[in-house]
Amino acid sequence: MISMTRHWGARVALVAALAAAGAASWAQDLKIGFVSTERILRDSNAAKAAQARLEQEFSKRERDLEALGNQLRQATEKLEKDAPTLSESQRSARQRQLAELERDFQRRRREFQEDLAQRRNEELQQVIERANRVIKQIAESEKYDLILQEAVYIAPKHDITDKVINGLNNAR
């Protein structure tokens, strides 16, 4: 029985050693790259152009929303200041107007945030799709076996983000 256990243990050790040797030679032939999606979305011309389009598209609504917020704040301050001199019916009417203005402001702000988030996602998706095409071109031309976009740690020598940004900036 002891003899069988020793032979089995020796076989397991031999298989493990062969597997480790095979993995080591496989890893030496493997060409890996890493791309930081965050940097692409921050530093590429395509991402900056997308951000500029969003700002242009939503700047008027944002200014209108700020103006409505200021109007709401001023109306609240005026009610607080005037409250002691107002009759109960006047105070109640102004509170209703203020509540209606507050609801309108909250609704517009929510719609603005939802519309902006949707458009931002659409714009960023386009940038990511373009970046993925550039990544595939780099992978094929430079013979990468694996390119990662998310990692806990990556050695700087594997980071090809600058190549991707340059390729994206130069692509038409």
Side-chain angles (χ1 to χ4, degrees):
M1 184 72 152
I2 294 174
S3 170
M4 274 180 69
T5 306
R6 284 186 189 155
H7 287 307
W8 194 80
R11 287 181 185 162
V12 169
L14 179 61
V15 169
L18 289 174
S25 71
W26 177 74
Q28 288 175 342
D29 295 337
L30 186 65
K31 187 171 181 182
I32 298 174
F34 170 75
V35 177
S36 170
T37 305
E38 178 186 336
R39 279 190 48 218
I40 289 171
L41 294 177
R42 184 186 65 221
D43 297 342
S44 71
N45 290 344
K48 291 175 183 176
Q51 182 62 33
R53 283 190 299 274
L54 288 171
E55 287 174 7
Q56 181 180 9
E57 184 177 335
F58 285 91
S59 62
K60 183 184 182 320
R61 280 180 65 186
E62 186 175 30
R63 284 191 307 273
D64 291 347
L65 195 57
E66 287 174 6
L68 186 59
N70 288 336
Q71 181 183 351
L72 177 62
R73 183 181 43 76
Q74 290 170 353
T76 301
E77 290 171 358
K78 184 164 176 42
L79 176 62
E80 288 173 2
K81 180 182 149 200
D82 295 346
T85 60
L86 295 174
S87 69
E88 185 61 34
S89 63
Q90 290 173 323
R91 186 172 37 249
S92 184
R94 297 246 312 256
Q95 286 173 336
R96 277 193 308 277
Q97 289 172 342
L98 196 58
E100 188 175 313
L101 187 60
E102 170 74 22
R103 278 191 304 275
D104 185 42
F105 174 73
Q106 294 298 335
R107 180 186 53 79
R108 286 185 185 189
R109 183 172 67 179
R110 184 181 58 253
E111 289 172 355
F112 172 80
Q113 290 171 340
E114 289 170 357
D115 292 348
L116 178 60
Q118 180 180 354
R119 281 289 296 126
R120 179 180 292 126
N121 288 339
E122 291 169 1
E123 290 287 340
L124 294 181
Q125 186 61 39
Q126 289 178 4
V127 173
I128 289 170
E129 287 172 6
R130 290 179 56 201
N132 285 339
R133 285 194 295 272
V134 171
I135 291 168
K136 287 177 186 173
Q137 290 171 352
I138 292 171
E140 290 170 359
S141 68
E142 297 186 21
K143 310 251 186 285
Y144 279 91
D145 296 304
L146 177 66
I147 296 183
L148 304 170
Q149 289 183 315
E150 297 294 326
V152 174
Y153 171 78
I154 194 77
K157 70 180 181 177
H158 296 293
D159 190 345
I160 63 168
T161 305
D162 289 332
K163 286 182 186 179
V164 175
I165 291 173
N166 289 336
L168 193 56
N169 289 348
N170 295 329
R172 279 279 133 201

